[in-house]
């Protein structure tokens, strides 16, 4: 056991050193793929050994927890990309921060080893005591059982936070307090572009603050919102019900007061009624008739089940049944193409045309759209500037008991959903 524990300590220190060297080369010199490959292999071994050492600490009372526990916990934290710290620093600095942290933790372990045992590794005499102790195992097990719910919640939030950060290019992040959305500014040749990440439900104050920050002179707002000229929606599609359930407001309540502008030519709809004290506003989005029929069907299903008037538990059951029957990879790809990529192309085109006539362009769109829009802005030579964060909602304000009651309530008699292609 002593050799196993010492091997783990040495492996951890080797991983720390290689990680630091690799990150320094990546950030300040030339990237060496061979070194990164070796580092990643050793990192995987450290994670596997960390799990083994952690379990063995509950069995072998001789393993010093004050030395080994910080090493294993830091390895587990690195698996979660150092959340929530990862949302507070740049992506470029995350790897270097993790490497410095690992070197620091490893250095502290060496200092403790020298202080307690006078050596750099665990001595043989320390393992001459009996291996097993009921007291050690019971206390260790009880502590883990007590902390398990918190660890699960933390891990789920970390995974969700890292996923959201990747999908929105950091425009939205999850913290232990709540969910935040960013607004970023970009400047080039006297022009200003503001990208404001949005969410369909949020605090009422979030929408109010955003609207209050809109300038007027020389400004256009590229608003989000799919139209339905051919009346393809069979149910009203709005988030008011979910917002009320969560004690929040829906994006539909955000009143953008300005001069309507036509998307085709960016000309005022009514020149005589134009108010120079207000910004111009254009719905820079698609119409539903340009979506694939399967996407339209999916939107109708969501409106009928999750956003309709049915009890939420019944709606969730009906939605799951539809997904099981029709949720193929082809349908999912079509959804992403319509809801994300096609609409991105429309708003980016409107943005490029708006730059010819306006000094300030504001794009308040959903966070998932922001990576593509930001890339288009940067491609035109714009330089990132100010960044502002707003709290979408705090977890403490969400009535979890009420939501769980709605979700877990007996669904009762479910209404059968029509098959794809059937008349609705």
């Amino acid at each position: 056991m002593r050799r196993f524990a010492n091997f783990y300590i040495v492996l951890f220190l080797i991983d720390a050193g290689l990680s630091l060297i690799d990150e320094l080369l990546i950030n300040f010199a030339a990237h060496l793929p061979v070194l990164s490959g070796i580092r990643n292999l050793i990192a995987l071994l450290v994670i596997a050994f960390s799990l083994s050492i952690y379990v063995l600490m509950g069995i072998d009372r001789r393993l010093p927890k004050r030395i080994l526990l910080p090493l294993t916990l830091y390895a587990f934290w690195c698996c979660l990309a150092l959340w929530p710290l990862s949302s507070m620093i740049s992506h470029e600095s995350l790897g270097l921060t993790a490497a410095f942290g690992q070197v620091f933790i490893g250095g502290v372990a060496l200092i403790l080893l020298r202080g307690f045992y006078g050596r750099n590794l665990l001595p043989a005499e320390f393992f001459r005591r009996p291996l097993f102790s009921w007291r050690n195992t019971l206390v260790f097990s009880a502590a883990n059982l007590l902390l398990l719910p918190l660890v699960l919640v933390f891990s789920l939030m970390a995974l969700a936070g890292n996923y959201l950060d990747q999908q929105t290019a950091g425009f939205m992040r999850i913290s232990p307090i709540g969910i935040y959305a960013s607004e970023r500014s970009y400047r080039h040749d006297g022009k200003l572009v503001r990208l404001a990440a949005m969410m369909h439900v949020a605090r009422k104050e979030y929408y109010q603050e955003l609207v209050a920050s809109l300038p007027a002179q020389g400004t256009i707002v590229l608003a989000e919102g799919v139209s339905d000229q051919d009346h393809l929606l069979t149910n009203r599609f709005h988030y008011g019900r979910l917002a009320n359930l969560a004690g929040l407001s829906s994006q539909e309540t955000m009143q953008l007061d300005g001069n309507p502008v036509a998307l085709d030519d960016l000309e005022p709809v009514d020149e005589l009624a134009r108010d120079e004290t207000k910004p111009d506003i254009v719905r820079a989005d698609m119409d539903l008739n340009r979506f694939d029929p399967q996407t339209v069907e999916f939107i109708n299903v969501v409106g009928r089940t999750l956003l309709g008037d049915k009890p939420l538990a019944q709606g969730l059951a009906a939605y799951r049944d539809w997904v099981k029957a029709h949720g193929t990879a082809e349908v999912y790809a079509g959804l992403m193409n319509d809801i994300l990529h096609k609409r991105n192309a429309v708003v980016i085109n409107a943005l490029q045309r708006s730059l010819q006539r306006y000094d300030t362009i504001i794009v308040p769109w959903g966070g998932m759209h922001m990576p593509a829009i930001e890339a288009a802005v940067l491609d035109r030579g714009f330089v990132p500037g100010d960044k502002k964060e707003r709290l979408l909602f705090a977890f403490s304000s969400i009535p979890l008991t009420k939501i769980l009651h709605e979700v877990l309530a007996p669904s009762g008699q479910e209404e059968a959903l029509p098959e794809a292609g059937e008349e609705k």
Side-chain angles (χ1 to χ4, degrees):
M1 185 61 70
R2 178 180 69 89
R3 291 178 180 177
F4 184 77
N6 283 334
F7 178 75
Y8 171 71
I9 295 172
V10 172
L11 193 66
F12 186 94
L13 293 172
I14 292 174
D15 183 38
L18 287 178
S19 297
L20 183 58
I21 294 172
D22 190 34
E23 289 296 334
L24 289 173
L25 290 175
I26 291 173
N27 285 275
F28 304 108
H31 180 212
L32 298 178
V34 174
L35 179 61
S36 296
I38 296 173
R39 167 198 174 183
N40 292 335
L41 177 60
I42 294 179
L44 290 175
L45 291 175
V46 169
I47 293 171
F49 275 84
S50 295
L51 181 60
S52 301
I53 287 290
Y54 188 84
V55 172
L56 289 172
M57 281 190 289
I59 301 172
D60 191 340
R61 70 186 186 94
R62 302 170 303 177
L63 292 174
K65 296 178 180 60
R66 54 191 168 187
I67 303 293
L68 298 174
L69 190 59
L71 304 184
T72 58
L73 293 181
Y74 189 80
F76 297 152
W77 191 33
C78 287
C79 292
L80 299 176
L82 303 186
W83 186 88
L85 182 63
S86 57
S87 62
M88 304 175 191
I89 58 179
S90 66
H91 291 187
E92 296 77 12
S93 304
L94 182 60
L96 191 59
T97 302
F100 270 117
Q102 188 171 357
V103 170
F104 175 77
I105 293 293
V108 171
L110 286 177
I111 292 173
L112 292 176
L113 283 168
R114 295 292 297 179
F116 291 127
Y117 312 115
R119 300 181 184 180
N120 293 328
L121 295 174
L122 297 172
E125 54 268 21
F126 188 77
F127 285 83
R128 291 172 183 161
R129 300 178 298 164
L131 181 151
F132 184 76
S133 166
W134 278 109
R135 182 176 181 274
N136 172 73
T137 301
L138 291 175
V139 171
F140 188 84
S141 301
N144 278 272
L145 287 174
L146 288 174
L147 294 175
L148 182 60
L150 294 177
V151 171
L152 289 176
V153 171
F154 182 88
S155 300
L156 288 174
M157 290 180 66
L159 293 173
N162 292 327
Y163 176 81
L164 188 64
D165 181 75
Q166 293 175 2
Q167 295 298 313
T168 66
F171 272 88
M172 300 181 71
R173 72 178 180 92
I174 298 176
S175 81
I177 296 174
I179 299 182
Y180 290 83
S182 294
E183 178 185 323
R184 299 177 187 174
S185 299
Y186 308 82
R187 296 183 181 274
H188 174 65
D189 197 22
K191 304 285 187 178
L192 172 65
V193 175
R194 289 169 50 186
L195 304 183
M198 300 292 291
M199 193 171 180
H200 291 297
V201 293
R203 297 181 305 124
K204 182 179 180 180
E205 293 78 10
Y206 175 85
Y207 301 121
Q208 292 175 340
E209 292 171 8
L210 180 60
V211 171
S213 71
L214 300 181
Q217 194 68 28
T219 298
I220 185 170
V221 178
L222 306 184
E224 179 183 17
V226 175
S227 55
D228 184 21
Q229 297 177 359
D230 296 342
H231 307 289
L232 299 177
L233 289 179
T234 58
N235 296 81
R236 185 185 173 194
F237 195 92
H238 62 94
Y239 292 87
R241 179 190 179 188
L242 294 183
N244 292 333
L245 181 62
L248 301 170
S249 296
S250 66
Q251 190 174 343
E252 293 103 336
T253 64
M254 185 175 70
Q255 300 296 325
L256 291 175
D257 187 17
N259 305 299
V261 172
L263 177 61
D264 293 336
D265 54 13
L266 295 182
E267 291 291 341
V269 175
D270 187 351
E271 183 64 47
L272 296 178
R274 183 182 177 86
D275 187 346
E276 295 293 340
T277 65
K278 298 178 181 179
D280 289 348
I281 298 176
V282 60
R283 178 178 283 188
D285 212 331
M286 293 175 56
D287 189 81
L288 204 61
N289 57 23
R290 295 176 58 187
F291 283 7
D292 186 275
Q294 289 181 319
T295 302
V296 176
E297 171 65 13
F298 173 79
I299 293 174
N300 279 321
V301 168
V302 172
R304 186 165 60 248
T305 58
L306 303 181
L307 304 179
D309 297 328
K310 291 181 180 181
L312 187 57
Q314 182 179 344
L316 282 171
Y319 174 77
R320 285 195 299 268
D321 291 342
W322 188 91
V323 170
K324 288 179 181 178
H326 308 288
T328 63
E330 180 183 358
V331 170
Y332 178 78
L335 286 173
M336 290 297 100
N337 187 46
D338 286 333
I339 295 175
L340 200 62
H341 305 307
K342 286 184 180 179
R343 296 174 63 208
N344 286 346
V346 172
V347 69
I348 289 172
N349 177 266
L351 172 63
Q352 293 172 343
R353 292 189 291 120
S354 298
L355 287 170
Q356 301 173 10
R357 304 186 54 173
Y358 294 88
D359 295 327
T360 301
I361 297 92
I362 301 174
V363 188
W365 272 56
M368 296 282 283
H369 298 276
M370 286 300 158
I373 301 174
E374 182 185 44
V377 171
L378 295 176
D379 285 345
R380 293 186 65 89
F382 279 80
V383 178
D386 297 335
K387 177 181 176 181
K388 180 186 297 183
E389 271 195 342
R390 297 184 180 92
L391 178 65
L392 285 167
F393 60 84
F395 294 127
S396 60
S397 67
I398 304 299
L400 293 178
T401 304
K402 178 182 177 182
I403 294 175
L404 288 175
H405 180 268
E406 289 282 340
V407 171
L408 301 178
S411 58
Q413 185 66 32
E414 298 176 8
E415 177 184 341
L417 289 174
E419 295 293 324
E422 289 185 8
E423 183 178 353
K424 298 181 282 297

